Amino acid sequence: MVSYKKIALTALLGLGLFATTVSADAAKGQRIYQKKLKEVCGMTGAVFAAKHSQDEWAEANDNGELGKAMTEICPAGKEFFESDKFKNKFSSHLYDFVNDFASDSGNIPKC
């Protein structure tokens, strides 16, 4: 009986950890932009995100062309936007960042 409780508790803890790592985060996207793209692109995150409206960013993300849309704004970051690391690890966080600070969002990031 005790082992069933341990297994159930372990499964719940594992699911809780998995759920937190899968969700995207705009603040994390902002940190990624500051660390990896700000110097490469030569513009602040506020300018970068405000190049499109929330609908335009959402459309690019839904069509799987987020990297292409970002490359059009920042051609120097083409290699980063085409990398597997961007597609698998950074794109969801950067999408949340640009969507939260798009031209029509009314929000201004501190980067």
Side-chain angles (χ1 to χ4, degrees):
M1 188 69 170
V2 174
S3 63
Y4 288 119
K5 287 181 182 178
K6 286 181 182 178
I7 291 171
L9 186 61
T10 303
L12 285 173
L13 181 63
L15 288 172
L17 291 174
F18 179 73
T20 57
T21 58
V22 171
S23 63
D25 183 6
K28 189 170 183 177
Q30 184 175 347
R31 287 191 303 273
I32 292 167
Y33 184 84
Q34 286 178 312
K35 187 174 181 179
K36 301 200 177 277
L37 294 168
K38 188 173 180 179
E39 285 187 32
V40 172
C41 295
M43 65 183 86
T44 65
V47 173
F48 183 83
K51 294 289 184 180
H52 290 297
S53 67
Q54 288 180 319
D55 288 342
E56 292 168 337
W57 284 121
E59 183 179 338
N61 189 47
D62 293 344
N63 293 337
E65 297 180 344
L66 186 63
K68 181 180 175 185
M70 291 182 172
T71 302
E72 290 173 2
I73 297 169
C74 175
K78 182 177 182 178
E79 186 176 319
F80 176 81
F81 296 125
E82 291 179 349
S83 70
D84 288 337
K85 200 167 190 175
F86 170 76
K87 293 173 186 169
N88 298 328
K89 189 173 180 181
F90 297 141
S91 63
S92 61
H93 301 298
L94 282 171
Y95 168 70
D96 278 359
F97 167 66
V98 295
N99 192 46
D100 280 1
F101 298 105
S103 60
D104 59 345
S105 69
N107 300 325
I108 300 173
K110 294 179 180 177
C111 66

